Amino acid sequence: MLELRNVTKMYPSGPVALKEVSITVTEGEFVFVVGPSGAGKTTLTKLLMCEERPTSGSIIINNFDVNKLRPKEVPLLRRSMGVVFQDFRLMPTWTVEENVAFAMVVVEVAPRHIRRRVAEVLSLVGLTNKRNQLPGQLSGGEQQRVALARAIVNQPSLVLADEPTGNLDPETSWGIVKLLLDINATGTTMLMVTHANQIVDSLRKRVIALDAGRVARDEEGGVYHG
Amino acid sequence: MVKLRTWGYFADSAGKSMLRNSWMTLASIGTVAVSLLVLGVFLLVAVNVNTIAAQVESQVELTAYLGKLSVTERQALETEIKALPGVTGITFVSKDQAWERLLGWYGNDRAFLAGWEEENPLRESFEIRTDSSHRVAEVANELTGLSGVEEVLYGREIVDKLLAITRMIRLVGIVLMCGLALAAMFIIANTIRITVFARRREIGIMRFVGATDWFIRWPFVMEGLALGVVGALVSASVLAWGYYLAVRSLVRVMPFWPLVSPWPLLQHLALLLLALGAVIGIGGSTVSLRRYLDV
Ligand SMILES: Nc1ncnc2c1ncn2[C@@H]1O[C@H](COP(=O)(O)OP(=O)(O)OP(=O)(O)O)[C@@H](O)[C@H]1O
Ligand SMILES: [Mg+2]
C-alpha cells in the first residue's frame, strides 16, 4: 500500500530533510508520525502527495511508483488519497457543501452522484445542519471536519493528515481523532502527523518517530516519547 | 450548489474573475477592440480599392493619341487598327470634339481654360474597344508600335497605381495590427496573471484534490477567450455601423465608384475578427499560464 525504501530528500537550499528513510505501511493501518520540529514530517507527506520528489530512493503508493510517475499521472495518484492540513485550506466564499463537493467536481463526477455522496459524508462528520454556512461562520473543529469530509468524499484508500489538530484545543482535537478512527475502521489507511502526545499515548497505535530526517523509532503500540 | 457541473464551474469562475477585475477586463476588451478595429478599417479600404481597380481593369476601351497626320494617313491607320485581333470598334475624336468634352467635364469651372480657345492644345485620338479586358494590354502593345500613334492610355496604368496603394495600405495595416495585437495580448496576459494570483488558494486546493492540469487551466483560458471575443464583437459592431454610414454618404459623392456592398462583406469580416479575437485571447492567457501557473 505504501512503501518507502532508502528515501533521501534534499531541498536545493537548506539541510537534508530526510535521510535513508524506509517505511512500509500495510492497508488499513493507523500510523502516527511524530518528532521534533524540523524532523522532516511535513517533507514526508509532501513526498507522498508527490508535491516534492525524492532526491534518491523509491516510493510506492497505491501501486503508483512515484519515480516512474509521469506529470499526467500525478492527479491520479492524488485522487487515491485524501489530505488534511493544520490550516484547513477551505474556500472562505463557498459554503460547507460547496467546499466538499468541489473535490468531486474537480475529478468530474456526475452532479447527481455528487449530491448524494456529499450529503453522506456531511452526516458522517456531523455537519448536515451547517451545510449552507460559510467556513468563517464555523468553529475551528467544524472547519477541520469540513476539510476531513472533503478528504474522504472521493473514497480514498489513504488519508494523510499533517497536524490536523494543530490549531485545535484538546477536546475538539479528540473529536477529530475519533472521526479519523471511524474512517480508519472502514478500512482506510491513516497516516497522521502530530505533536499531540496525549492522543498518541492513549491510543497506542503504531508510532514512527522521525529525528533530523531519520527514522528514530518505529513501533506498534508506541508512545509519543520513546 | 451552482458549481456542480464542470463547465458551469469554469464559466462561473471565469465570469466572477472578470467582474472582480472590472478595470482590467475593460482595458483588455478595449485594446482588443481597438487593434481589430484598425485591422478592419484597413481591410475594408483595401477591399474597396481592389474592387475599384478590378472595375477599371475590366474596362475594354483604350485611347490612342495621334501625332500630326493627314486625312489619308489617318484613314490608313484606322483600317490597320480595325484589322488588329480583338478590336471590335473604333471611333475618331477630333481636336474640336476633345475640346467640347473638356468644357463639358468642367462645367462652370472653365475659367482656367481661358486663352486656350485660340490654339486648341489637345490631340486627335482614336477610342478603341476590344472584345475583352484581357485583350487590352495586348492591343495597347500593338498600337504603340504603329507609326502615327504617339501614346496609348488605358485602365491598366490606373490599376497599377491603385494596386500599389493597396499594397501599402495592407502593409501598414498589418504592421499596425500586429503591434496592437501584441499590446492586447500583453494586457490580457496581465489580466490573467492577476486572476491567477487572486485564485491561488483555489488552485492549491485543486492540486491536492487531484485536478488535472487542464482542469486547472480551463477557467483562465475561458476568461482570455471571453476577453478576446467580446473585444472582437465590439470592433465588428463599430465597423459595421461605420461602414453603413460610409456607403450611404459616399454614394452621393462618388456615384460612379460605389463601395462594395456591406453584405456579405461585413459578415466575413466579423468572422475573421472573431477568430483573431479568440486567438489573441487564448494566446494571452497561454502566455500568462506558462509563466505564472506551473502546471
Ligand atoms: N521548501 C523547502 N525548502 C528548503 N528547505 C525546506 C523546505 N521545506 C522544509 N525544509 C527544511 O527541511 C527540514 C524538514 O522540514 P519539515 O517541514 O519536513 O519539518 P516538520 O517535521 O514538518 O516540522 P514541523 O513539526 O515544525 O512542522 C527543515 O529543516 C526545513 O527547514
Ligand atoms: Mg510540518
Side-chain angles (χ1 to χ4, degrees):
Chain A
M1 131 96 353
L2 198 161
E3 190 178 344
L4 287 84
R5 234 183 266 155
N6 302 323
V7 172
T8 296
K9 174 65 186 176
M10 286 187 277
Y11 288 106
S13 63
V16 182
L18 289 177
K19 285 177 206 149
E20 300 285 321
V21 169
S22 296
I23 296 171
T24 306
V25 177
T26 54
E27 215 166 303
E29 266 193 282
F30 192 116
V31 181
F32 284 118
V33 177
V34 302
S37 184
K41 306 179 297 295
T42 296
T43 302
L44 176 67
T45 60
K46 282 185 177 169
L47 288 175
L48 297 178
M49 285 165 64
C50 228
E51 196 181 314
E52 295 282 352
R53 299 289 183 127
T55 311
S56 67
S58 76
I59 302 177
I60 292 167
I61 312 159
N62 300 334
N63 299 326
F64 290 98
D65 183 338
V66 166
N67 285 329
K68 291 184 188 151
L69 214 56
R70 284 176 289 138
K72 276 197 167 188
E73 295 169 321
V74 172
L76 297 181
L77 169 67
R78 291 184 182 159
R79 287 172 196 194
S80 74
M81 59 178 73
V83 265
V84 181
F85 303 91
Q86 182 173 353
D87 57 357
F88 320 137
R89 305 208 187 165
L90 301 173
M91 287 299 293
T93 53
W94 298 352
T95 65
V96 165
E97 207 169 33
E98 287 171 337
N99 266 287
V100 176
F102 188 56
M104 296 184 87
V105 175
V106 153
V107 302
E108 297 175 63
V109 176
R112 60 203 153 89
H113 296 312
I114 297 183
R115 267 175 231 283
R116 192 171 353 109
R117 177 67 184 152
V118 168
E120 216 170 273
V121 287
L122 282 182
S123 99
L124 188 75
V125 300
L127 285 177
T128 303
N129 53 5
K130 307 236 163 165
R131 65 180 181 280
N132 292 321
Q133 310 229 14
L134 297 177
Q137 301 169 311
L138 304 179
S139 71
E142 286 166 337
Q143 291 187 51
Q144 193 61 298
R145 284 162 191 260
V146 179
L148 198 52
R150 180 182 61 195
I152 60 170
V153 77
N154 287 324
Q155 297 175 296
S157 55
L158 168 69
V159 170
L160 296 177
D162 190 354
E163 301 192 40
T165 62
N167 282 349
L168 307 176
D169 61 61
E171 203 178 321
T172 318
S173 297
W174 268 111
I176 295 294
V177 171
K178 291 221 171 74
L179 272 176
L180 293 177
L181 287 168
D182 288 347
I183 294 162
N184 174 244
T186 64
T188 309
T189 311
M190 191 66 60
L191 199 111
M192 175 174 166
V193 174
T194 188
H195 287 292
N197 49 0
Q198 284 156 333
I199 292 171
V200 177
D201 290 349
S202 57
L203 285 180
R204 290 294 174 132
K205 295 284 186 183
R206 178 176 171 190
V207 175
I208 296 173
L210 293 181
D211 194 3
R214 291 185 184 279
V215 177
R217 180 161 54 92
D218 182 351
E219 54 190 13
E220 290 294 339
V223 291
Y224 190 83
H225 296 286
Chain B
M1 289 208 278
V2 285
K3 304 180 185 70
L4 279 191
R5 266 162 224 286
T6 308
W7 288 97
Y9 165 72
F10 291 159
D12 187 68
S13 30
K16 283 214 178 96
S17 293
M18 288 169 72
L19 289 179
R20 189 168 42 214
N21 306 320
S22 49
W23 281 109
M24 284 308 288
T25 302
L26 283 180
S28 308
I29 292 174
T31 42
V32 173
V34 168
S35 60
L36 293 179
L37 193 64
V38 167
L39 176 75
V41 166
F42 276 88
L43 281 180
L44 284 177
V45 171
V47 164
N48 278 289
V49 174
N50 264 344
T51 309
I52 291 171
Q55 279 174 19
V56 174
E57 201 169 25
S58 71
Q59 284 168 5
V60 293
E61 288 190 8
L62 22 67
T63 307
Y65 291 97
L66 309 178
K68 287 220 174 323
L69 297 178
S70 67
V71 176
T72 28
E73 281 170 326
R74 200 185 73 213
Q75 281 165 349
L77 186 60
E78 186 171 346
T79 325
E80 207 173 345
I81 291 174
K82 266 185 191 158
L84 287 176
V87 172
T88 55
I90 185 164
T91 313
F92 174 67
V93 181
S94 70
K95 288 176 73 150
D96 291 343
Q97 285 166 328
W99 182 250
E100 285 305 316
R101 278 194 198 174
L102 190 66
L103 291 180
W105 180 261
Y106 283 109
N108 296 326
D109 308 322
R110 58 177 78 166
F112 72 97
L113 295 174
W116 273 357
E117 299 97 336
E118 306 304 306
E119 39 145 351
N120 178 349
L122 303 177
R123 290 173 291 182
E124 296 180 323
S125 66
F126 283 126
E127 284 174 358
I128 300 150
R129 279 173 301 286
T130 61
D131 55 1
S132 94
S133 57
H134 307 297
R135 270 282 170 70
V136 173
E138 206 178 295
V139 172
N141 243 343
E142 299 267 7
L143 288 174
T144 325
L146 298 177
S147 71
V149 174
E150 264 189 349
E151 196 185 0
V152 181
L153 273 187
Y154 64 106
R156 182 81 229 171
E157 290 171 76
I158 304 169
V159 167
D160 286 344
K161 286 205 184 88
L162 285 177
L163 290 184
I165 295 173
T166 13
R167 268 196 293 276
M168 272 285 291
I169 291 174
R170 236 183 270 154
L171 195 71
V172 172
I174 286 172
V175 168
L176 209 59
M177 143 81 195
C178 285
L180 288 169
L182 273 180
M185 229 184 240
F186 175 80
I187 288 181
I188 288 181
N190 212 42
T191 308
I192 300 296
R193 183 179 65 92
I194 290 172
T195 307
V196 169
F197 185 75
R199 294 186 46 220
R200 63 196 181 287
R201 184 199 287 262
E202 199 176 332
I203 293 168
I205 295 172
M206 286 201 232
R207 287 225 173 98
F208 72 69
V209 299
T212 59
D213 291 349
W214 266 111
F215 191 96
I216 296 174
R217 281 191 198 117
W218 260 114
F220 301 103
V221 174
M222 274 177 66
E223 185 179 343
L225 183 68
L227 295 175
V229 168
V230 173
L233 282 176
V234 170
S235 72
S237 315
V238 172
L239 273 175
W241 174 74
Y243 194 67
Y244 273 110
L245 283 189
V247 170
R248 281 165 55 102
S249 51
L250 284 183
V251 157
R252 249 179 278 142
V253 183
M254 33 182 259
F256 37 92
W257 279 338
L259 291 183
V260 177
S261 147
W263 191 259
L265 174 64
L266 288 177
Q267 189 194 11
H268 292 158
L269 187 69
L271 286 178
L272 175 73
L273 295 184
L274 280 177
L276 284 173
V279 168
I280 291 175
I282 291 177
S285 52
T286 308
V287 167
S288 206
L289 292 184
R290 283 260 166 83
R291 289 200 51 189
Y292 302 108
L293 189 73
D294 55 339
V295 291

